[in-house]
Amino acid sequence: MTTGQYFRNFLLRTDEKTLFKMDHYLDVYDGLMGPWMGKPVSFLEIGVYKGGSLRMWRDFFSPKASLTFLDIDPACKALEIPGTEVRIGDQTDVAFLQKTAAERGPFDIIVDDGGHKMDQQLTSFRTLWPQLRDGGLYIVEDVHTSYWPGFGGGFRAPGSFVEFAKDLIDRMHSWYTEDDAGFPLHPMARELGSIAFHDSLIVLKKQIKQPPISITSQNGKIGGSRKILEVRGRKSIF
Ligand SMILES: C[S@@+](CC[C@H](N)C(=O)[O-])C[C@H]1O[C@@H](n2cnc3c(N)ncnc32)[C@H](O)[C@@H]1O
């Protein structure tokens, strides 16, 4: 299902409440969000600012969707609109995030468009990833701050969100380790379906997985094996 360029077209439908996104995110969202259009999702966005994204997301999902928005600025509570709930708190406050998730989660989609500092993005991710449903999306906007020292980043800075996400690529592949001590099987291998790196935007898809299977099919007869996970000292894929 396509969004019919819902997100790009929304720019023409904004009201006095300013929407604040990078231009190309709209195309990413139009490419990504089709399967969720009109669905009664449980959605969480960190970062309200002037409130422009509340109506964008509300009108995109089903009227039955549960839409939660967080911001540290108490003034944002006044930007709540029907069909949304704004909660005031700090995205690094684990107890606040857990309470929000207990009362409003689990979530199908989480968007982190909050303060964009490394500790904020990492604490929110670590706390909220377990609150994401199987099949759900965790989206972190403005990850160019991973390259900005003022936000705790820098080029290949240890502890930046981009470096953390790059590391998750390895953890996702840790089924295939040949080094149990140095590169052990990581729990994210069972939970992370994909990571997409767009410019400034990272999309992590949660997918609760069984160990991967290689399949063969001949004359319509399908065979499966997990041998690839057991073979060590590989020199060839076959
Ligand atoms: C980029 S703006 C959000 C823009 C909005 N999502 C939109 O699409 O129009 C960032 C917001 O994050 C909020 N913020 C900053 N630090 C925060 C924190 N530690 N916890 C929660 N929100 C925070 C700011 O108050 C600001 O309103």
Side-chain angles (χ1 to χ4, degrees), residues 208-219:
I208 305 300
K209 295 179 284 181
Q210 295 301 314
I213 298 175
S214 319
I215 55 161
T216 54
S217 178
Q218 190 177 32
N219 295 324

Side-chain angles (χ1 to χ4, degrees), residues 12-229:
L12 304 171
R13 295 206 301 115
T14 51
D15 56 19
E16 75 286 355
K17 290 175 178 164
T18 309
L19 172 71
F20 190 59
K21 297 279 181 215
M22 289 188 79
D23 178 74
H24 65 278
Y25 295 175
L26 303 168
D27 301 324
V28 174
Y29 284 142
D30 275 319
L32 184 68
M33 289 290 174
W36 303 93
M37 193 167 179
K39 297 281 163 51
V41 300
S42 175
F43 173 89
L44 173 70
E45 183 173 28
I46 303 171
V48 172
Y49 187 49
K50 304 287 182 192
S53 67
L54 273 67
R55 198 163 59 83
M56 179 181 83
W57 291 118
R58 186 197 62 180
D59 294 358
F60 180 72
F61 298 118
S62 157
K64 291 187 180 147
S66 165
L67 307 176
T68 309
F69 296 81
L70 309 183
D71 205 287
I72 199 167
D73 180 359
C76 290
K77 184 67 184 168
L79 299 171
E80 209 169 63
I81 55 174
T84 68
E85 180 168 321
V86 173
R87 292 187 165 209
I88 303 304
D90 187 331
Q91 72 175 119
T92 62
D93 179 344
V94 171
F96 165 68
L97 296 179
Q98 284 175 338
K99 183 168 189 292
T100 301
E103 291 170 7
R104 302 285 293 173
F107 303 106
D108 297 295
I109 300 172
I110 299 173
V111 178
D112 181 352
D113 186 24
H116 305 307
K117 292 193 171 154
M118 301 307 106
D119 61 321
Q120 295 169 333
Q121 292 170 334
L122 289 167
T123 302
S124 296
F125 180 82
R126 289 188 174 117
T127 309
L128 292 173
W129 175 261
Q131 309 296 337
L132 190 68
R133 283 194 180 125
D134 188 13
L137 302 179
Y138 194 104
I139 300 169
V140 187
E141 292 188 355
D142 295 357
V143 296
H144 47 262
T145 58
S146 276
Y147 302 98
W148 292 355
F151 284 68
F155 179 58
R156 296 197 180 154
S160 81
F161 193 83
V162 164
E163 290 303 314
F164 172 77
K166 286 186 203 171
D167 184 68
L168 287 179
I169 298 172
D170 297 330
R171 305 301 156 209
M172 181 173 71
H173 289 98
S174 60
W175 301 113
Y176 309 99
T177 184
E178 290 198 342
D179 174 7
D180 292 329
F183 180 42
L185 176 63
H186 190 275
M188 285 301 260
R190 297 184 188 279
E191 296 182 17
L192 187 54
S194 65
I195 313 179
F197 288 76
H198 303 266
D199 187 324
S200 299
L201 190 76
I202 295 179
V203 182
L204 302 107
K205 181 168 183 168
K206 190 161 190 175
Q207 193 184 335
I208 305 300
K209 295 179 284 181
Q210 295 301 314
I213 298 175
S214 319
I215 55 161
T216 54
S217 178
Q218 190 177 32
N219 295 324
K221 189 165 182 293
I222 300 169
S225 152
R226 294 203 164 99
K227 216 171 160 187
I228 198 166
L229 305 181

